[in-house]
C-alpha cells in the first residue's frame, strides 16, 4: 500500500473538479479520484444548462434578483453578486475549451438562450437538452490527455487524513488536511495519498432518498468526510426536489428538464385540467420548491401516482430539435411527447446545503477545499435557482485555482498507512443492502417534501440505530465501496434531519406542517461537530 504524493488531490470528477484540475495542471501535479470513470458524475446528467448574463436584454442585477427571490431570504448577497458577475467569464472559458453550445444565428449572442422557472428573462445557455453531458465529455477528454493529471478511476475516498489522525499530531499545526485514504475498488487495496491541498468535489446526496434524479454515485461522500474531519455544515434541510422526474417502471432517475416548462410545457391532472395557476401566479414557471409542493399536494389530495407534463401543443420539429434526448428516451418507453403528455413525479434533485466555505472554496481546515454541490457557498439560500448549479461549479473551480496557486506549499509529512490488522472479511453483505434500502425509504417517507416534527423524530430514531449497526460493521470488517457509501449516506441523512429539526419555520425547500409560517428574520442552520452538538 504505497504512499502517493501530489500537489493537489481532487476527490470527484464533475464540472467543479475538472475545471479545477485543468487550470491547476498548468502549474502542478494533480490527481483526480473518481468512483467509476472520468465520465461519470452528476454533471453529465444535467440537462438544462448554465445561467449567465449573456444578452443585452439581461443584467447582473436581474440575475441577482431572481437568485435572491428563489433563495427565500437566505442567499449571501455578496457571494451571489460575485458568482453572477463572474458568470460570463466562466461560460467563455468553457467555450474556449471546446464546449459546443446550441447556436441561434438570429440571437444577439449567437447562442440559443432558454428560460427556466424563477428566471425573469432567457439567460440559460445550453447544448440542446444534454448540456451536462456535452460539458463532461469535452473537459474529461482534455483531462485524460493532460500529462500533469493522474486519474484514479474506480477509486473511492475512505476518509480525510487530518492533524488529529497523525501519531505526532501534537507537533503539527492543528486543523490541517494532509490528504486522504483511498480504496482501489478493483484491487481491494487502500492507498495513502498525500497532498499539499485536498479538494472535495463529490457532488450531492440525492441517493439518500428513494426517488431521485441523481446517479448512483451521489451518496454524500464529501459532505460526510468533511463533517467527520471537523468542518461546519450548513443548511442541509434544504433538499431540492425536482418537480418533474419521468414516472415509468423502466425509467430510473430520468429527469424531464426545467426547460420543457420554460418552453411552454403545462402541468395537468389525468383529466387534462391545469392546476399550477391555483397554486402560484407564475404557474409552471414558479420556482421548483413551489411547483414540487403543488404536485405533491395534488397527488396526495387525489390519490394519484403521478401528474402529467404536456408540451404536445408545440410542433414535432421544435420538440425534436430542442429536446432530442427527452424525445428519444420517452419514445423508447412508448411515450410520444409530440402527441402525449409525459407522466412525472417529484424526486430528490439537489443538495443546497453542504460544507461551509468562503469565496475561494476554503473550508474550516487548512489546505482543504470544497467546491460544487458538496459546498455551501451561500449562493443558493433556501432554494437553488434553476441552472445556477453548473455556474457555481465553474466559478468556484476557477476561484479555488487562484487561491491554491497563491499558496506556499507545506512540506509533506510521513502519513500512517491504513491499518487492517484487526479486521476480517464481512460475513453477510446483505446487511449493507438491507440498511441502504431502509434508509432511503424512511427518508422519503419522513424527511421529504412536506415534514412534521413526528416524522423527523421517527427518522432520527432509525438513523441512530443504523449508525450503531454500521459503525460496528465498519470497525470489525474490511471496508468495501458499498459500506463506505452507506456510511456516508447515513451521516448525511443525520445532518439533514438535525438541520430540519432546528428550523422552526417553513422557508424555501423546507416545509413543516408544525411551523407553516416564515419567520421575519432569516438565519442559516449551522452544525458544529467540535462542540458535540448542533447550533443554529
Amino acid at each position: 500500500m504505497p504512499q502517493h504524493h501530489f500537489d493537489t488531490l481532487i476527490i470527484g470528477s464533475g464540472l467543479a473538479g475538472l475545471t479545477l484540475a485543468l487550470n491547476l495542471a498548468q502549474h502542478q501535479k494533480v490527481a483526480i479520484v473518481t468512483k467509476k470513470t472520468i465520465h461519470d458524475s452528476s454533471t453529465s446528467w444535467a440537462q438544462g444548462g448554465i445561467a449567465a448574463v449573456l444578452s443585452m436584454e439581461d443584467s447582473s442585477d436581474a440575475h441577482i434578483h431572481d437568485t435572491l427571490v428563489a433563495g427565500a431570504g437566505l442567499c449571501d448577497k455578496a457571494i451571489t453578486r460575485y458568482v453572477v458577475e463572474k458568470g460570463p467569464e466562466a461560460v467563455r472559458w468553457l467555450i474556449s475549451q471546446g464546449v459546443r453550445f446550441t447556436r441561434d444565428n438570429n440571437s444577439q449572442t449567437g447562442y440559443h438562450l432558454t428560460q427556466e422557472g424563477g428566471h425573469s428573462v432567457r439567460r440559460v445557455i445550453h447544448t440542446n437538452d444534454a448540456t451536462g453531458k456535452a460539458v463532461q465529455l469535452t473537459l474529461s477528454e482534455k483531462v485524460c490527455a493532460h500529462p500533469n493529471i493522474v486519474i484514479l478511476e474506480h477509486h473511492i475516498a475512505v476518509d480525510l487524513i487530518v492533524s488529529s489522525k497523525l501519531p505526532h499530531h501534537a507537533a503539527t499545526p492543528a486543523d490541517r488536511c494532509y490528504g486522504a485514504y483511498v480504496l482501489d475498488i478493483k484491487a481491494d487495496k487502500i492507498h495513502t495519498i498525500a497532498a499539499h491541498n485536498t479538494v472535495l468535489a463529490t457532488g450531492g446526496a440525492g441517493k439518500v432518498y428513494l426517488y431521485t434524479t441523481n446517479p448512483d454515485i451521489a451518496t454524500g461522500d464529501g459532505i460526510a468526510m468533511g463533517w467527520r474531519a471537523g468542518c461546519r455544515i450548513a443548511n442541509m434541510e434544504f433538499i431540492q426536489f425536482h418537480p418533474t422526474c419521468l414516472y415509468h417502471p423502466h425509467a430510473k432517475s430520468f429527469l424531464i428538464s426545467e426547460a420543457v416548462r420554460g418552453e411552454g410545457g403545462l402541468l395537468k391532472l389525468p383529466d387534462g385540467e391545469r392546476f399550477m395557476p391555483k397554486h402560484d401566479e407564475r404557474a409552471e414557471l414558479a420556482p421548483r420548491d413551489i411547483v414540487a409542493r403543488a404536485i405533491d399536494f395534488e397527488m396526495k389530495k387525489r390519490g394519484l401516482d403521478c401528474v402529467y407534463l404536456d408540451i404536445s401543443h408545440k410542433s414535432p420539429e421544435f420538440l425534436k430539435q430542442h429536446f432530442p434526448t427527452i424525445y428519444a428516451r420517452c419514445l423508447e418507453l412508448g411515450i410520444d411527447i409530440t402527441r402525449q403528455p409525459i407522466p412525472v413525479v417529484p424526486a430528490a434533485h439537489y443538495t443546497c446545503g453542504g460544507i461551509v466555505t468562503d469565496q475561494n472554496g476554503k473550508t474550516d481546515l487548512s489546505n482543504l477545499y470544497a467546491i460544487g454541490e458538496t459546498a455551501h457557498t451561500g449562493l443558493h439560500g433556501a432554494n437553488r435557482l434553476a441552472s445556477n448549479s453548473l455556474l457555481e461549479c465553474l466559478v468556484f473551480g476557477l476561484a479555488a485555482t487562484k487561491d491554491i496557486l497563491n499558496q506556499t506549499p507545506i512540506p509533506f509529512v510521513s502519513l500512517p498507512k491504513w491499518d487492517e490488522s484487526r479486521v476480517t472479511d464481512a460475513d453477510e453483505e446483505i446487511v449493507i443492502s438491507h440498511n441502504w434500502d431502509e434508509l432511503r425509504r424512511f427518508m422519503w417517507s419522513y424527511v421529504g417534501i412536506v415534514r412534521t416534527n413526528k416524522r423527523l423524530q421517527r427518522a432520527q430514531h432509525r438513523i441512530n440505530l443504523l449508525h450503531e449497526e454500521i459503525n460496528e460493521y465498519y470497525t470489525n470488517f474490511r471496508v468495501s465501496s458499498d459500506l463506505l457509501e452507506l456510511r456516508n449516506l447515513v451521516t448525511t441523512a443525520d445532518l439533514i434531519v438535525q438541520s430540519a429539526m432546528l428550523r422552526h419555520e417553513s422557508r424555501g425547500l423546507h416545509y413543516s406542517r408544525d411551523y407553516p409560517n416564515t419567520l421575519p428574520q432569516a438565519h442559516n442552520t449551522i452544525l458544529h461537530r467540535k462542540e458535540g452538538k448542533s447550533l443554529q
Side-chain angles (χ1 to χ4, degrees), residues 40-304:
D40 290 294
S41 73
S42 293
T43 294
S44 62
W45 288 45
Q47 293 180 353
I50 303 170
V53 178
L54 302 171
S55 74
M56 297 296 290
E57 292 77 30
D58 199 4
S59 68
S60 293
D61 286 343
H63 190 178
I64 291 166
H65 176 266
D66 292 344
T67 302
L68 297 179
V69 169
L74 272 181
C75 298
D76 183 306
K77 292 181 180 179
I79 287 292
T80 301
R81 177 167 292 279
Y82 172 77
V83 173
V84 166
E85 291 181 348
K86 292 287 184 181
E89 174 190 345
V91 170
R92 285 194 293 270
W93 178 80
L94 269 187
I95 293 172
S96 74
Q97 298 303 302
V99 176
R100 295 182 178 181
F101 292 108
T102 300
R103 307 287 307 201
D104 182 355
N105 294 329
N106 296 320
S107 165
Q108 166 251 322
T109 64
Y111 293 97
H112 183 268
L113 303 178
T114 192
Q115 184 174 356
E116 298 181 350
H119 291 273
S120 55
V121 298
R122 289 179 174 267
R123 68 163 64 95
V124 180
I125 190 170
H126 60 100
T127 302
N128 293 327
D129 60 347
T131 307
K133 185 176 182 180
V135 169
Q136 184 80 24
L137 286 175
T138 302
L139 297 190
S140 59
E141 285 177 6
K142 285 186 168 289
V143 162
C144 290
H146 205 293
N148 276 351
I149 300 176
V150 174
I151 303 167
L152 300 174
E153 294 185 323
H154 303 290
H155 284 64
I156 179 172
V158 179
D159 247 335
L160 299 172
I161 304 174
V162 296
S163 303
S164 59
K165 293 185 179 180
L166 302 183
H168 47 284
H169 71 271
T172 61
D175 301 326
R176 185 181 295 279
C177 182
Y178 292 90
Y181 293 114
V182 175
L183 171 66
D184 181 335
I185 298 170
K186 290 188 173 181
D188 194 25
K189 290 184 177 180
I190 294 179
H191 301 288
T192 305
I193 300 183
H196 293 308
N197 291 286
T198 303
V199 183
L200 297 170
T202 60
K207 293 299 287 188
V208 79
Y209 287 98
L210 184 61
Y211 301 110
T212 177
T213 64
N214 290 186
D216 290 342
I217 54 178
T219 52
D221 302 332
I223 295 169
M225 284 189 289
W227 173 251
R228 290 194 294 267
C231 294
R232 287 172 299 151
I233 305 291
N235 289 1
M236 287 298 292
E237 69 270 38
F238 298 119
I239 302 295
Q240 187 175 73
F241 289 81
H242 197 287
T244 54
C245 183
L246 179 61
Y247 179 75
H248 192 280
H250 301 133
K252 179 183 178 182
S253 306
F254 188 76
L255 175 69
I256 304 299
S257 170
E258 188 97 9
V260 173
R261 285 183 286 124
E263 293 296 340
L266 303 175
L267 285 163
K268 297 180 178 181
L269 298 171
D271 62 2
E273 179 190 351
R274 283 181 71 192
F275 58 87
M276 276 308 303
K278 294 186 297 184
H279 292 271
D280 192 279
E281 62 183 11
R282 292 163 291 186
E284 281 80 6
L285 290 179
R288 289 176 177 175
D289 61 322
I290 294 171
V291 179
R293 273 201 302 276
I295 294 174
D296 183 70
F297 174 84
E298 297 291 344
M299 286 174 59
K300 288 177 178 174
K301 176 183 177 181
R302 304 169 192 273
L304 303 175

Side-chain angles (χ1 to χ4, degrees), residues 310-491:
D310 191 358
I311 195 167
S312 61
H313 50 276
K314 291 283 190 177
S315 72
E317 294 74 25
F318 177 90
L319 296 177
K320 292 174 186 178
Q321 177 186 354
H322 287 271
F323 306 112
T325 307
I326 294 172
Y327 172 77
R329 181 60 177 142
C330 287
L331 202 60
E332 286 176 9
L333 299 168
I335 304 165
D336 183 350
I337 68 171
T338 68
R339 298 186 299 108
Q340 299 168 274
I342 306 166
V344 294
V345 292
H349 183 59
Y350 191 86
T351 309
C352 287
I355 301 170
V356 175
T357 69
D358 68 5
Q359 187 172 295
N360 297 313
K362 294 170 75 170
T363 71
D364 296 329
L365 273 68
S366 298
N367 306 99
L368 178 67
Y369 293 75
I371 53 177
E373 193 174 350
T374 305
H376 173 267
T377 63
L379 173 64
H380 304 308
N383 180 24
R384 175 179 69 91
L385 182 66
S387 290
N388 267 357
S389 52
L390 295 184
L391 173 66
E392 182 185 43
C393 290
L394 279 168
V395 170
F396 284 93
L398 294 169
T401 298
K402 293 179 181 178
D403 197 77
I404 289 172
L405 292 178
N406 283 334
Q407 287 188 19
T408 301
I410 61 171
F412 286 113
V413 299
S414 178
L415 302 178
K417 294 181 179 179
W418 184 258
D419 183 8
E420 286 189 325
S421 61
R422 290 166 292 183
V423 298
T424 60
D425 291 325
D427 52 359
E428 291 186 346
E429 294 287 343
I430 189 66
V431 173
I432 296 175
S433 61
H434 174 79
N435 286 351
W436 178 293
D437 185 63
E438 180 188 352
L439 172 71
R440 297 179 68 210
R441 286 184 183 279
F442 74 64
M443 284 296 290
W444 181 260
S445 299
Y446 298 149
V447 200
I449 296 172
V450 176
R451 299 161 180 174
T452 66
N453 289 343
K454 185 169 287 187
R455 290 177 187 175
L456 293 175
Q457 289 165 2
R458 286 172 176 164
Q460 186 69 71
H461 175 67
R462 284 161 173 76
I463 287 170
N464 291 340
L465 295 175
L466 283 179
H467 257 310
E468 292 178 13
E469 194 165 323
I470 292 165
N471 285 338
E472 180 184 0
Y473 208 89
Y474 181 81
T475 302
N476 294 313
F477 300 112
R478 287 191 176 88
V479 299
S480 66
S481 59
D482 288 342
L483 174 60
L484 293 173
E485 288 184 328
L486 176 61
R487 180 182 183 230
N488 291 333
L489 277 175
V490 172
T491 297

